[in-house]
Amino acid sequence: MTLSPGTRLGVYEVTEQIGEGGMGQVYRATDTKLKRQVAIKILPPSLGADHERLARFQREAEVLASLNHPNIAAIYGLEESNGVSALVMELIEGDDLSQRIARGAIPLDEALPIAKQIAYALEAAHEQGIIHRDLKPANIKLRSDGTVKVLDFGLAKALEPASAASANVTASPTITSPAMMTDVGVILGTAAYMSPEQARGKAVDKRADIWAFGCVLYEMLTARRAFAGEEVSDTLASLLAREPDWALLPATVPPVLDTYLRRCLHKEPRQRIHDIADVRLALEGAFEPAAGNAGSQGQDPAYVHTQVDAAVASVRRMLGRRLALVGAATLVIGGASVGTAVWWTMRPASPRVLRTEVTTAGATALSISGFDRDLAITPDGSRVVYRSNNQLLVRALDQLEPYVLSGLGAPRGVFVSPDGQWVGFFDGTTMKRVALTGGPPLTITRIDGNGSRGATWGPDGTIVYATDAASTGLQRVSAAGGDPTVLTKPNRERGEADHLWPELLPGGQAVLFTISAATGALDNAQIAVSDLKTGTSKVLVRGGHHAHYVPTGHLVYGAGGTLRAVAFDRNRLEVAGTPVVVVEQVVTSVGGAVDAAVAANGTMVYVPGRGGPGAARSLVWVDRMGREERVPTPLRAYSFPRISPDGTRVALAVMDQEQDIWIWDFARERLTRFTFDPGADQYPLWSPDSRRLIFASTRAGGSNLFWQAADGTGAVEQLTEGPNLRLPVAMTPDGTRIIIREVGQQDDLMLMPLQPPRRPQPLVQTKFGERNAEIAPDGRWLVYESNESGREEIYVRPFPDVSGGRWQVSTGGGRMPLWSRNGQELFYGSPDGALMGVRMEPGPSWRSSTPARILQRQFAYSGFGRAFDIAPDGRRFLMIREGGGNEAAPQNLVVVQNWLEELKRLVPPN
């Protein structure tokens, strides 16, 4: 019978039908008493007509209702109303596993958590003597939060006829096919997942569930049924006579798990795994052999002897069985032979190296800053933390999706505490920490300079870090907060520009760091180590950067866009042997940060490809409809594009080894180098007449402002001189004054006349960070971004009297504001990478429209500077794309488990 919406069964009101099968129709219903949604399964009419059978089902249902487990769909009760018998069950939202498999094979890192939860459910049921009897993908639901629920536990048993005990009906397969249905439509098994003993009509026990579990796991990993056929008879013949195609299993399946899966599908029940708990342990990696022998791992000797005795007994039984098969043979077991057999049985096997690529895209896309390391891994290797726009994401390797650590401002330079409970990061000029599980961030300290250049958290609760302030090298501060102390200072006489990327050695008594060269080229960087007790330092590697120690006795570091390793004696603080490339291409920042990290358990995560210096980026025009046209520039590491006011050229900072400014001529399609000095040149800014370029440069120490004729003629003139980091951001329409972003304890906006004497004066100076200012074409308004609300937002003030008002333009975060050339529109980037826009409304005071999305596509960020510009006609935008295509290529993470085993083979330790 079919129930219509609104039908009442006791306190349950039917809402809609949501399924139908051999066991009956399934409806969504509302429990009007407890105000909850439930699933109602209408039982076959023959059951209600057979009072003895119904009473028996009632008893079975009571047993099933006792299964209280998070991975088992709960049974709430049995409802009888108006001649209808219905089972009331927990309503599980989401797809079932068969729907997920229909979309393709499930990757191992996604399949294992699902399989483990199925095993948990079977284990709990088997412990109470309950067998599922009809385990299959359609009876397994996947909730959106990652929870797996197994449905219909034991219903095949509960629904069987009363004479089943004598007739052994339970063992007989009735299939969901018209030709194979029983007269009551009861499903006692589904052909593709039946054990051979079920298919033969023999008695079954929990080993039938283990067989079905093996079928389900095989199908998850291959998207193919282990035993399939066009007809039911073909399927039964397949499971009785043939083996699954084991070659279809992915290479990432660990050998131990492969063995257990094969044993789940052994046709002889006595040779099949007897307990699902053993399978569950295999899924959790409990039987993966540990590196090293028992003694070296510090195991209890009594435990070791027990294992040896068990191995000897196993060898004796094995040899005894073989003698019985042979017949008359004489066996003499000497101590040496037993020892050899025991060694062979207990020999340690090297863990298998497993590689997994984790795709990040959309709202969870990895953001490459080009200045910091953008990821970290917890010491136990279970979680990866990475930066995605203005938030941090935590990806547990046993979960499908990352979770967000939000409300952190503009986090950069991520690092993790030794206990894996805290995530450290930098927000502008502030170092902060946040619990790995989320919550409000806590301030650790203010830093000098514009941002971080690496941090490492020691076991004693202190953090060693570096900044981009060249006057200080490594500094140390308590993770609980306080004032930092300076540990090292760069030696200018030896050509040292700065000390960067600290990484503490085990024990926290010495720290590795990078010495950057005065020329700015990474090829000239050096890796050094400092003894924190004596304060002495020495160089370990020349031509390398951002090193860290791994437990195999190696240093792993960046060089030439690759990841290299060399043997390292931690006691003598010396390297030995020849460095070897262990990762061909890894994303590297401008200053030498390597987007790779290795956990103490040997799991490595890295970002493959090129990024930072030499990154393959292109320029594209994007119109307001989202149509793109590639600019035929060569692929370079472009940042900070600035179109000349006359629209003929674009100035770009190329963040490669030389870090110079280049100019692209649109008409001639020619890229010309503009600066040639050994310092880092960036943040180009055109004069209103397109005849001069102002830029920031480190050529005279620190970062000050310079200008020169845009055609390259004449001398370069220095405009500012001082210890603080100064960057040009905007010029007044009349070309007489310039707005400077000055970085001290915070980012402030300064105003400086271009005619001598050039003395910067405060324009917007608060306890917060202000940056990326722009002046409206009519000179009336100043727009900028600030983190005063706790995240970056866009604000407008009158100009030049900035105290005359203040209005917030963005509503959900914003960065990099830009005026249209006619001053009627204002654009900015949203946290998810979209381009937002507002329209000016005429009037004496500031009024604008509600922000609206102009473009959905993401564009490449360029640190803290604006990463796009607008054409003079206002019809299209010039943007930077990662790679040479029209799409912004997603950055993926590569996770390598047991990577230290591979490292030991590639670079044998001393």
Side-chain angles (χ1 to χ4, degrees):
M1 63 177 295
T2 301
L3 303 181
S4 58
T7 302
R8 293 288 291 263
L9 295 176
V11 299
Y12 304 102
E13 181 176 335
V14 172
T15 305
E16 61 177 331
Q17 185 173 347
I18 57 176
E20 186 169 5
M23 290 185 186
Q25 298 158 330
V26 184
Y27 296 85
R28 179 192 296 267
T30 301
D31 184 335
T32 59
K33 187 174 183 180
L34 298 179
K35 308 299 182 184
R36 65 179 175 181
Q37 296 295 299
V38 298
I40 298 285
K41 178 165 287 190
I42 305 302
L43 302 177
S46 59
L47 181 65
D50 187 337
H51 295 291
E52 180 183 353
R53 192 174 175 205
L54 185 61
R56 185 175 182 279
F57 178 83
Q58 174 75 46
R59 293 192 298 272
E60 293 288 347
E62 289 173 359
V63 175
L64 301 178
S66 67
L67 285 177
N68 182 15
H69 191 274
N71 297 120
I72 298 176
I75 293 179
Y76 295 147
L78 187 65
E79 186 69 26
E80 297 178 65
S81 178
N82 300 322
V84 176
S85 298
L87 197 64
V88 184
M89 302 176 296
E90 179 184 4
L91 178 66
I92 310 297
E93 305 283 5
D95 290 345
D96 63 48
L97 185 56
S98 67
Q99 293 169 305
R100 171 61 186 87
I101 293 173
R103 297 196 292 269
I106 303 177
L108 186 66
D109 63 340
E110 181 183 345
L112 287 181
I114 297 173
K116 279 188 273 190
Q117 293 182 71
I118 300 170
Y120 291 147
L122 291 174
E123 185 177 358
H126 291 176
E127 286 176 351
Q128 296 192 41
I130 297 172
I131 306 170
H132 193 293
R133 284 178 166 80
D134 193 27
L135 184 69
K136 57 188 176 184
N139 278 338
I140 299 165
K141 296 278 278 186
L142 309 177
R143 289 196 338 193
S144 59
D145 64 356
T147 302
V148 175
K149 290 276 189 176
V150 182
L151 313 180
D152 291 352
F153 247 103
L155 290 191
K157 171 70 174 177
L159 286 166
E160 69 184 8
S163 58
S166 59
N168 199 20
V169 179
T170 314
S172 302
T174 53
I175 316 298
T176 51
S177 167
M180 299 288 289
M181 292 291 289
T182 65
D183 58 345
V184 296
V186 176
I187 299 179
L188 304 181
T190 303
Y193 309 96
M194 280 187 179
S195 65
E197 59 269 26
Q198 266 182 299
R200 292 188 173 102
K202 296 182 178 180
V204 299
D205 56 20
K206 62 184 181 181
R207 287 172 292 183
D209 280 355
I210 293 173
W211 170 279
F213 175 86
C215 293
V216 170
L217 180 55
Y218 179 92
E219 192 170 337
M220 288 167 60
L221 295 172
T222 64
R224 297 272 296 275
R225 286 185 172 179
F227 306 98
E230 293 184 3
E231 302 292 339
V232 170
S233 58
D234 297 331
T235 302
L236 294 176
S238 175
L239 72 90
L240 289 172
R242 292 192 289 273
E243 286 291 312
D245 187 350
W246 297 112
L248 294 178
L249 286 177
T252 54
V253 175
V256 170
L257 182 56
D258 181 285
T259 300
Y260 272 78
L261 176 56
R262 291 171 186 259
R263 280 292 173 179
C264 285
L265 294 177
H266 202 291
K267 299 185 190 301
E268 171 54 54
R270 289 176 298 178
Q271 300 300 318
R272 195 179 306 151
I273 289 175
H274 281 42
D275 200 314
I276 193 66
D278 294 335
V279 184
R280 187 254 305 163
L281 288 170
L283 290 166
E284 293 175 343
F287 303 127
E288 294 290 344
N293 55 39
S296 64
Q297 298 299 316
Q299 292 181 351
D300 189 319
Y303 171 79
V304 176
H305 285 304
T306 300
Q307 296 296 97
V308 172
D309 292 341
V312 171
S314 175
V315 172
R316 290 183 185 275
R317 287 194 299 270
M318 177 186 69
L319 294 176
R321 286 195 297 270
R322 291 187 177 181
L323 279 177
L325 290 173
V326 172
T330 303
L331 174 65
V332 177
I333 302 179
S337 61
V338 173
T340 301
V342 171
W343 172 86
W344 181 256
T345 303
M346 299 187 63
R347 72 194 188 283
S350 297
R352 188 176 178 184
V353 179
L354 304 175
R355 282 178 167 79
T356 305
E357 189 168 30
V358 179
T359 301
T360 71
T364 63
L366 170 68
S367 299
I368 301 296
S369 70
F371 293 90
D372 307 277
R373 184 164 69 181
D374 304 296
L375 55 81
I377 190 168
T378 54
D380 64 359
S382 65
R383 289 170 172 81
V384 176
V385 185
Y386 67 91
R387 196 176 70 89
S388 179
N389 293 317
N390 283 339
Q391 59 189 14
L392 295 180
L393 299 183
V394 181
R395 171 67 185 263
L397 298 186
D398 62 353
Q399 298 295 321
L400 302 181
E401 298 293 336
Y403 60 87
V404 179
L405 300 178
S406 57
L408 307 181
R412 294 173 58 178
V414 60
F415 57 102
V416 180
S417 64
D419 60 6
Q421 301 301 308
W422 292 90
V423 178
F425 63 95
F426 293 83
D427 178 17
T429 57
T430 305
M431 184 196 293
K432 299 179 179 179
R433 60 186 171 101
V434 64
L436 187 70
T437 53
L442 305 176
T443 296
I444 297 174
T445 191
R446 298 282 184 183
I447 66 170
D448 57 352
N450 179 47
S452 74
R453 290 297 181 265
T456 176
W457 197 320
D460 61 350
T462 63
I463 296 170
V464 178
Y465 67 97
T467 71
D468 61 1
S471 59
T472 56
L474 306 185
Q475 301 177 62
R476 180 164 52 189
V477 67
S478 170
D483 296 325
T485 57
V486 175
L487 297 178
T488 68
K489 288 187 177 183
N491 189 322
R492 308 292 183 211
E493 295 180 357
R494 291 203 297 260
E496 298 179 0
D498 208 348
H499 293 169
L500 315 169
W501 318 123
E503 294 284 346
L504 283 164
L505 290 174
Q509 300 303 309
V511 61
L512 300 165
F513 65 99
T514 299
I515 301 174
S516 63
T519 61
L522 279 181
D523 291 343
N524 297 325
Q526 303 174 93
I527 296 170
V529 61
S530 176
D531 187 320
L532 296 181
K533 286 184 176 181
T534 64
T536 59
S537 301
K538 66 177 179 180
V539 173
L540 300 174
V541 176
R542 300 185 186 276
H545 49 88
H546 202 172
H548 58 276
Y549 176 80
V550 293
T552 50
H554 294 91
L555 291 187
V556 178
Y557 63 94
T562 68
L563 194 67
R564 303 186 184 187
V566 66
F568 178 68
D569 188 325
R570 185 159 60 94
N571 295 321
R572 302 173 60 186
L573 300 180
E574 292 179 355
V575 298
T578 303
V580 174
V581 174
V582 291
V583 176
E584 290 291 343
Q585 284 193 339
V586 61
V587 168
T588 306
S589 79
V590 173
V594 178
D595 270 338
V598 184
N601 75 335
T603 299
M604 178 173 70
V605 59
Y606 69 94
V607 184
R610 295 182 63 84
R617 288 180 170 183
S618 56
L619 298 179
V620 293
W621 287 112
V622 187
D623 68 16
R624 291 174 181 255
M625 299 299 294
R627 294 183 292 253
E628 297 188 3
E629 177 187 349
R630 189 180 183 280
V631 180
T633 54
L635 298 182
R636 302 288 294 274
Y638 300 119
S639 293
F640 318 124
R642 297 295 182 267
I643 299 174
S644 61
D646 62 14
T648 62
R649 293 156 292 172
V650 59
L652 303 136
V654 178
M655 308 304 286
D656 57 11
Q657 299 289 348
E658 285 77 28
Q659 300 186 46
D660 281 307
I661 293 172
W662 294 65
I663 297 175
W664 173 260
D665 189 305
F666 290 114
R668 298 179 180 178
E669 295 188 350
R670 181 180 177 185
L671 187 66
T672 305
R673 188 173 181 178
F674 178 70
T675 61
F676 295 85
D677 63 283
D681 304 320
Q682 53 186 326
Y683 287 86
L685 179 67
W686 291 94
S687 62
D689 61 6
S690 302
R691 298 177 62 182
R692 282 184 175 270
L693 271 176
I694 299 175
F695 55 93
S697 178
T698 62
R699 64 185 66 193
S703 179
N704 280 282
L705 272 57
F706 297 78
W707 70 354
Q708 186 179 9
D711 60 6
T713 61
V716 178
E717 183 180 356
Q718 185 169 346
L719 302 178
T720 65
E721 184 177 355
N724 289 342
L725 185 70
R726 288 172 171 167
L727 306 169
V729 292
M731 192 178 297
T732 56
D734 60 9
T736 61
R737 291 168 293 175
I738 185 173
I739 295 180
I740 300 170
R741 177 175 135 216
E742 182 163 292
V743 181
Q745 285 299 308
Q746 277 293 354
D747 284 10
D748 294 313
L749 299 179
M750 313 293 286
L751 186 64
M752 185 185 79
L754 287 172
Q755 294 296 323
R758 302 182 180 107
R759 296 192 181 93
Q761 299 296 320
L763 181 64
V764 180
Q765 191 175 45
T766 71
K767 62 181 180 179
F768 306 106
E770 296 86 24
R771 57 179 73 95
N772 287 333
E774 298 278 343
I775 300 174
D778 63 5
R780 293 182 55 203
W781 304 104
L782 172 74
V783 64
Y784 62 97
E785 67 183 72
S786 172
N787 61 5
E788 63 180 88
S789 68
R791 66 179 176 186
E792 302 293 328
E793 298 280 7
I794 305 299
Y795 297 87
V796 167
R797 291 175 183 257
F799 183 82
D801 181 15
V802 294
S803 63
R806 181 170 61 95
W807 298 269
Q808 182 174 326
V809 177
S810 57
T811 57
R815 289 192 58 200
M816 306 181 300
L818 172 66
W819 294 101
S820 64
R821 295 298 175 96
N822 61 16
Q824 296 177 6
E825 290 180 282
L826 178 62
F827 309 98
Y828 63 89
S830 70
D832 64 359
L835 182 66
M836 308 294 292
V838 299
R839 285 192 168 272
M840 287 280 295
E841 296 182 4
S845 64
W846 172 262
R847 291 192 303 172
S848 65
S849 65
T850 301
R853 286 179 179 260
I854 305 298
L855 293 171
Q856 298 285 356
R857 297 176 184 270
Q858 289 189 340
F859 44 82
Y861 283 85
S862 300
F864 284 116
R866 178 160 50 82
F868 67 102
D869 208 347
I870 190 169
D873 62 9
R875 296 180 180 178
R876 53 184 184 168
F877 302 90
L878 186 66
M879 292 187 173
I880 295 173
R881 285 279 186 261
E882 300 288 352
N886 289 340
E887 297 291 336
Q891 290 283 357
N892 294 339
L893 302 173
V894 174
V895 177
V896 188
Q897 294 176 297
N898 302 317
W899 179 70
L900 297 184
E901 296 301 316
E902 181 175 275
L903 176 61
K904 287 186 291 186
R905 291 195 300 270
L906 293 173
V907 192
N910 288 335

